[in-house]
Amino acid sequence: MARKYFIAGNWKMNKTAAEATALIDAIKAKIGTQTKVDVAVCPTFTALDAASKALKGSTIKLGAQNVYVKPSGAYTGEISADMLKEFCCEYVILGHSERREYFKECNCFVNEKVKVVLANGMKPILCVGEKLEEREAGKTIDVVSQQVLKGLEGVSKDDAKNVVVAYEPVWAIGTGKTATPEMAQEVHAQIRKNLAELFGAETAEDMQILYGGSMKPENAKDLLAQKDIDGGLIGGAALKADSFVALVEIAQNA
Ligand code: PEP
């Protein structure tokens, strides 16, 4: 099975419900029915309802940016998988470096979340990536391999088909600095090896591995040309219809 490119927008803590609707309408007008590339937008929780309604009739999928591991109960401020499903979320971003850094999420907690998302019929986008000091200390491959192997521990081969991995070097997120295509490819190839260790080579070949970290229309073509880069998890450039649409169009022609 040839892998499809996947362009996913991580809106982070941006866009009210009304702004989400306006952005989706603008994106839909340009690429709302294309099927060549998988496309998803991941707004904040409070915009999911509006986004879900705005996406109706389009091929663009909805994702959330987090989930809690319990189904319900006394967990003030948290959101369950069922609550995401109510809005037809297909994807959930997990283990983003901002969650690892500011909210102290560890590989083990991220792994629990991955399994909850899969058990609920949704697709985790598992984010992994090294910090600058880890890269400089020559630890990139070690750190990323651990994040992949621990993050996906206990996931079945069948469920692995619904897992997306996003390699996001922390030093490249929101900084304007991007990994060179060769640097990114080296890590993506390692991630595919890790996936093959876990699920076998055939399953690993079918899994999408996205690059994230200041990806924009100016650098996307060269990144997407790499053998193991299957798309992008896009932060800043996903907040404007023009740049997000341009990225989808680049993926369509990659
Ligand atoms: C992200 O946070 O997932 C991301 C890739 O952000 P940016 O594109 O802004 O670097």
Side-chain angles (χ1 to χ4, degrees):
M1 186 177 81
R3 295 188 300 270
K4 239 177 164 179
Y5 282 106
F6 180 20
I7 300 292
N10 172 15
W11 292 3
K12 312 193 185 192
M13 198 174 70
N14 294 294
K15 308 285 177 194
T16 61
E19 290 165 348
T21 301
L23 178 53
I24 288 170
D25 284 347
I27 295 170
K28 254 173 61 169
K30 297 275 173 58
I31 50 147
T33 55
Q34 68 81 41
T35 52
K36 195 163 176 204
V37 172
D38 291 333
V39 178
V41 292
C42 306
T44 57
F45 291 135
T46 55
L48 285 177
D49 187 17
S52 164
K53 287 175 181 138
L55 288 172
K56 282 230 161 69
S58 84
T59 52
I60 303 166
K61 309 292 189 197
L62 186 62
Q65 298 173 21
N66 191 18
V67 72
Y68 192 53
V69 292
K70 302 286 185 190
S72 64
Y75 303 102
T76 303
E78 294 297 329
I79 303 276
S80 75
D82 260 350
M83 292 168 185
L84 299 183
K85 286 197 289 188
E86 198 177 9
F87 300 118
C88 304
C89 282
E90 184 164 330
Y91 294 95
V92 186
I93 298 172
L94 296 174
H96 191 280
S97 67
E98 287 148 18
R99 298 224 50 96
R100 292 179 190 262
E101 176 78 12
Y102 306 137
F103 303 97
K104 308 296 168 222
E105 293 195 9
C106 60
N107 285 329
C108 167
F109 191 38
V110 173
N111 175 248
E112 264 191 84
K113 292 186 177 199
V114 165
K115 288 192 274 200
V116 166
V117 165
L118 289 166
N120 278 278
M122 295 181 288
K123 301 174 182 169
I125 301 177
L126 170 66
C127 300
V128 299
E130 82 287 1
K131 296 179 190 167
L132 183 60
E133 60 269 27
E134 291 166 337
R135 173 160 286 269
E136 286 173 348
K139 293 185 181 156
T140 298
I141 294 296
D142 258 17
V143 168
V144 171
S145 294
Q146 284 298 305
Q147 289 172 333
V148 173
L149 296 172
K150 292 200 169 145
L152 298 178
E153 202 173 275
V155 170
S156 72
K157 198 170 162 155
D158 247 15
D159 277 345
K161 292 178 186 130
N162 291 320
V163 171
V164 177
V165 178
Y167 168 56
E168 301 204 305
V170 179
W171 47 270
I173 296 177
T175 58
K177 289 184 198 150
T178 325
T180 63
E182 295 72 25
M183 277 158 90
Q185 167 57 28
E186 187 195 0
V187 183
H188 280 237
Q190 175 60 42
I191 292 172
R192 206 172 300 284
K193 266 195 212 158
N194 296 141
L195 297 175
E197 264 176 62
L198 289 169
F199 309 117
E202 209 179 313
T203 302
E205 267 311 299
D206 288 346
M207 293 174 72
Q208 289 166 320
I209 308 174
L210 314 184
Y211 170 80
S214 300
M215 195 177 198
K216 44 189 182 259
E218 296 75 34
N219 58 28
K221 188 167 177 251
D222 291 343
L223 285 160
L224 295 179
Q226 299 297 312
K227 179 173 166 288
D228 290 292
I229 301 185
D230 307 315
L233 182 56
I234 317 296
L239 296 174
K240 292 214 170 87
D242 283 358
S243 43
F244 190 68
V245 166
L247 284 162
V248 174
E249 287 170 348
I250 291 165
Q252 283 175 325
N253 296 310

